[in-house]
Amino acid sequence: MKKWMKTIAAMMTITMAMTGCGGGSDASADDAAGKYTVGIVQQLEHPALDAATLGFQEKLTELLDGNVTFDYQNAQGEQTNCTTIATKFVSDGVDLIMANATTALQSAAAATADIPIVGTSVTDYVTAGVVDSNEAPGRNVTGASDLAPIDEQIAMLTELVPDAQKVGIVYCSAEPNSMYQSKLAQAELDEANIAWAEYTAADSNEVQSVVTKAVAECDVLYVPTDNTMANNTEIIKNVAVPAGVPVIAGEEGICSGCGVATLSISYYDLGVKAAEMAYEILVNGANPAEMPIEYVSEGITEKYNAEIAEALQIAIPEDMVAIGE
């Protein structure tokens, strides 16, 4: 009897050990329970990116009836942090990674070729180097683009500053999607027979000197959706406004900090669209490689910064909406 009991105990010990070894990560356990784990890497804190993350979390929670756990991590604008966060998500075995902004997306794509990745707040995925084409990504990456109608933004610029002779396009040279937008803006300005010049900062340390040079040489500045500029709007405002040079911004967050006007998509809606794509991947087995990059076509609104418009004495059309109203 004693030998038999010892044998049973030994078998139970082995069984428990095997169960522990086969259990995998917490994410795998959640899968078995019908709950998903989604890692979110956000490049930095900024109203636009924050809104995209919120839209993503709220919509995906709704679509999955609450059966989702988010591991939200903010990289505080550091590329090395993006890499560390993405690597940890891969180690943890999350079901999907949502990458918010270009550097975050590039880091996630470099960390895994297997876990599905949905990007948001990224202008052009091909320029970012993470897909083969926007129509057929060909990899484990897809997402929603924050590309606004730049032709309409330049039309707004010419309407608000009709006497502009030269436009300064200001962005960070380390952000490929800003360069992409600059090329589109250049084409529109050429079409309108308006002179332009690019003014690029390598990082935040160069923003003040670059903007100072730009306002000395131009009548108006155009700042596309650019994370470095978005993080330094106070510097841009403190240089441009005293110089009497208006800024047309690529999105509402930048405009609220230093711009006169913008034609901006809703970043909350952008996050919602990314969540809908994530749902198709997680629940319906959609393949990111075959999911075209999507765009926000609704909720694009002309908005203006009332304080700066008044300071620069710029007449605002009645159909434009003041930011915050």
Side-chain angles (χ1 to χ4, degrees), residues 79 99 101-111 127-130 174 176-177:
Q79 182 175 357
T102 305
T103 301
L105 180 62
Q106 291 170 327
S107 297
T127 302
V130 296
N177 281 289

Side-chain angles (χ1 to χ4, degrees), residues 221-234:
L221 304 185
Y222 174 67
V223 179
T225 56
D226 182 284
N227 292 305
T228 300
M229 297 302 156
N231 217 26
N232 290 277
T233 55
E234 189 70 19

Side-chain angles (χ1 to χ4, degrees), residues 54-295:
L54 180 62
F56 178 83
Q57 290 178 309
E58 291 188 344
K59 185 63 178 180
L60 192 56
T61 298
E62 173 194 331
L63 291 172
L64 294 175
D65 295 323
N67 294 315
V68 59
T69 298
F70 297 107
D71 184 354
Y72 169 82
Q73 300 292 329
N74 193 301
Q76 303 299 327
E78 296 292 336
Q79 182 175 357
T80 53
N81 290 345
C82 287
T83 300
T84 300
I85 293 166
T87 301
K88 184 178 185 301
F89 286 162
V90 175
S91 176
D92 290 345
V94 299
D95 298 300
L96 181 140
I97 297 174
M98 192 280 262
N100 192 347
T102 305
T103 301
L105 180 62
Q106 291 170 327
S107 297
T112 178
D114 300 316
I115 297 174
I117 300 168
V118 175
T120 188
S121 310
V122 176
T123 304
D124 184 68
Y125 286 66
V126 173
T127 302
V130 296
V131 300
D132 296 337
S133 75
N134 291 322
E135 295 74 25
R139 310 182 197 179
N140 62 318
V141 178
T142 187
S145 167
D146 65 355
L147 180 63
I150 291 180
D151 56 340
E152 296 179 36
Q153 291 178 343
I154 298 303
M156 173 192 292
L157 182 152
T158 59
E159 178 185 9
L160 296 179
V161 194
D163 298 327
Q165 300 296 310
K166 185 176 181 181
V167 176
I169 305 173
V170 182
Y171 65 94
C172 176
S173 58
E175 300 193 29
N177 281 289
S178 299
M179 184 183 301
Y180 175 79
Q181 294 172 81
S182 175
K183 299 302 181 187
L184 296 178
Q186 291 168 26
E188 295 298 328
L189 291 167
D190 286 341
E191 184 72 19
N193 293 316
I194 299 175
W196 54 267
E198 286 187 308
Y199 298 86
T200 61
D203 53 37
S204 294
N205 295 324
E206 295 184 2
V207 171
Q208 183 165 344
S209 61
V210 166
V211 175
T212 299
K213 179 175 173 59
V215 299
E217 299 175 354
C218 301
D219 307 303
V220 56
L221 304 185
Y222 174 67
V223 179
T225 56
D226 182 284
N227 292 305
T228 300
M229 297 302 156
N231 217 26
N232 290 277
T233 55
E234 189 70 19
I235 291 175
I236 299 172
K237 174 184 176 181
N238 290 340
V239 174
V241 173
V245 176
V247 173
I248 302 300
E251 57 91 11
E252 185 176 335
I254 295 175
C255 187
S256 64
C258 65
V260 168
T262 185
L263 182 66
S264 177
I265 67 169
S266 164
Y267 276 77
Y268 182 90
D269 291 347
L270 190 70
V272 167
K273 188 169 288 292
E276 292 169 345
M277 300 177 79
Y279 176 83
E280 289 300 317
I281 293 168
L282 292 171
V283 177
N284 295 326
N287 183 356
E290 300 172 354
M291 299 175 70
I293 304 303
E294 296 198 14
Y295 300 83

Side-chain angles (χ1 to χ4, degrees), residues 31-49:
D31 287 348
K35 191 164 187 175
Y36 301 95
T37 300
V38 174
I40 298 176
V41 51
Q42 181 172 316
Q43 190 166 319
L44 73 163
E45 293 178 13
H46 178 263
L49 303 189

